[in-house]
Amino acid sequence: MRVGIALPTLANGDAVGNDALGMGQRLRQRGLDVYFFAATVCDVREPVRRLDEIPKVLRSSDDILIYHHSIGCEAVVRAMERLSLRRKVVKYHNVTPPQFFVSLNRQVADGCREGQEQLARLIQTGAHFWADSEFNALDIRQLAPHLEVTALPPFHQVDDLFRHEADARAVVGFDDWTTTFLVVGRVVPNKNIPLAVQTLAAYRQQYDDKARLVVAGSWPLPDYASQLCQCIHDLGQEGHVFVTGNVTVSQLKALYLTADALLVTSHHEGFCVPLVEAMALRIPVVAVPHAAIPYTGGPAVCYAPPRPNALAAALARLVLQDPAAREEQIWRGWQRYETCFSTAAITRQFDVLFDRLLAS
């Protein structure tokens, strides 16, 4: 029996890629032959085959195909429809609504639209559905109310964060006593980073003029990155907001450990892995309760309405006003990580679902 894991892009450090690689590692630990298929590969020490090779590799009806769905990918959807496999799985990571990208990148918007439309086709394949979060599962249940969908958190890079030494060079100038807030994620519209900049402006005006904001993430859309820079300038926050671009695991760890809080202002998230990273590294979190954020954060996160003054007040409470509340939140975060999101906890859930798949 062979297991194929397919996705449009397999990239180390990407949330979907980390989940796929984590699944592959666990299945190999169980003694199974695992093959990865992707259209694009980035910084992965793993043999990866082309998507059109799926039918050539998975030839037996006993073979299994696991498809990680997060954007349109016609080649894999067609394979899910046509292959006569007895067991197929869709791991649903959510598809970002295309309206976030229409004015910036038509190709990305079309890919998101295609991904949304393909979900109905995937439901018709008879595949098992696993979703990153209960929020993601709602998308599927709305299309197929009687389909069983199980929430399975994604494998992630927290163990790598634990193992790697923090790269002190990444925080030169930040490792002082200045209050530092951290945003982690790609600089894209659904992350709503301008709200984080507005929150910093409110915080500096009302509580601490020296505070800073660090945004750690890649810039896949240059036009949007330019808009963010203009926003920083217009709000008078130049010299207080730092956008790093892509970072290594060691650099990311250093940025977490110098931060006073993680700030999450996203419009849309299918899971939000930085919440789990912050819980594990004992960093308190202030977030807006949008999309999957409250499903992942649970009681370990301090939520505030998506308004700069409200978010700034929540940050001030954790950083300046109530050290007991800060420590309590950090403790709740660690407990939630250990119980729900550690690699051991996710592995247990994955094993149960995979055994159920084998028995189906």
Side-chain angles (χ1 to χ4, degrees):
M1 180 178 64
R2 296 176 169 183
V3 180
I5 298 178
L7 63 168
T9 300
L10 183 57
N12 191 31
D14 170 71
V16 178
N18 284 340
D19 189 29
L21 292 167
M23 279 190 183
Q25 181 180 15
R26 178 55 184 163
L27 291 172
R28 284 174 177 157
Q29 290 171 351
R30 292 179 55 140
L32 295 167
D33 291 329
V34 177
Y35 298 82
F36 286 95
F37 302 90
T40 306
V41 182
C42 181
D43 193 27
V44 174
R45 296 178 181 177
E46 176 74 46
V48 182
R49 297 170 181 257
R50 300 191 313 271
L51 295 177
D52 61 11
E53 294 183 85
I54 294 174
K56 302 174 185 177
V57 177
L58 305 181
R59 299 186 302 270
S60 169
S61 62
D62 285 333
D63 292 339
I64 297 171
L65 177 58
I66 302 174
Y67 168 43
H68 289 254
H69 186 62
S70 61
I71 198 168
C73 189
E74 182 63 24
V76 187
V77 174
R78 197 179 306 119
M80 293 286 289
E81 291 174 327
R82 296 180 180 179
L83 288 180
S84 56
L85 304 177
R86 292 192 294 119
R87 293 178 290 253
K88 293 176 281 190
V89 177
V90 174
K91 179 64 187 294
Y92 182 53
H93 294 271
N94 204 288
V95 178
T96 304
Q99 58 263 30
F100 286 112
F101 303 101
V102 168
S103 63
L104 290 165
N105 189 305
R106 176 62 64 176
Q107 184 177 1
V108 174
D110 289 345
C112 293
R113 187 175 297 105
E114 182 184 37
Q116 290 181 331
E117 294 168 352
Q118 287 172 343
L119 192 56
R121 289 168 58 192
L122 290 167
I123 289 170
Q124 297 302 316
T125 64
H128 293 245
F129 270 80
W130 305 337
D132 278 354
S133 64
E134 285 295 336
F135 173 78
N136 289 356
L138 293 175
D139 283 357
I140 304 164
R141 292 176 183 139
Q142 287 174 354
L143 293 173
H146 303 296
L147 183 68
E148 182 180 356
V149 186
T150 307
L152 174 65
F155 287 95
H156 46 66
Q157 64 178 2
V158 169
D159 286 349
D160 287 339
L161 285 168
F162 287 154
R163 281 194 297 266
H164 282 70
E165 291 291 331
D167 186 349
R169 294 170 298 179
V171 292
V172 171
F174 297 160
D175 55 344
D176 52 19
W177 294 103
T178 301
T179 298
T180 302
F181 304 124
L182 179 65
V183 171
V184 177
R186 295 176 305 144
V187 179
V188 291
N190 58 293
K191 302 297 183 182
N192 196 17
I193 298 172
L195 176 57
V197 179
Q198 293 164 7
T199 299
L200 176 72
Y203 187 92
R204 290 185 58 233
Q205 182 180 43
Q206 299 175 39
Y207 304 103
D208 178 4
D209 183 55
K210 294 182 175 60
R212 67 167 72 98
L213 175 71
V214 178
V215 180
S218 60
W219 304 11
L221 301 173
D223 288 347
Y224 184 71
S226 296
Q227 291 179 19
L228 177 62
C229 291
Q230 187 63 48
C231 170
I232 294 168
H233 172 77
D234 292 346
L235 290 170
Q237 300 307 305
E238 291 172 309
H240 295 275
V241 179
F242 304 87
V243 186
T244 67
N246 208 15
V247 294
T248 66
V249 173
S250 294
Q251 291 167 340
L252 180 61
K253 182 173 183 176
L255 291 170
Y256 270 119
L257 295 182
T258 56
D260 291 278
L262 177 72
L263 177 60
V264 180
T265 53
S266 297
H267 287 300
H268 185 87
E269 294 280 357
F271 181 77
C272 197
V273 170
L275 293 176
V276 175
E277 295 172 343
M279 291 177 201
L281 293 174
R282 296 174 170 84
I283 310 301
V285 182
V286 170
V288 295
H290 286 165
I293 293 169
Y295 292 84
T296 301
V301 170
C302 177
Y303 300 102
R307 300 191 300 272
N309 286 339
L311 289 163
L315 289 168
R317 178 171 179 258
L318 286 181
V319 173
L320 299 174
Q321 300 165 354
D322 196 340
R326 175 187 175 86
E327 292 305 314
E328 175 64 22
Q329 189 186 317
I330 289 172
W331 174 247
R332 286 198 302 266
W334 174 251
Q335 291 294 103
R336 185 164 177 80
Y337 167 75
E338 280 279 276
T339 303
C340 303
F341 302 127
S342 66
T343 298
I346 294 172
T347 298
R348 287 192 295 269
Q349 296 176 67
F350 176 67
D351 283 347
V352 168
L353 289 180
F354 194 78
D355 289 340
R356 191 182 303 167
L357 175 70
L358 293 178
S360 64

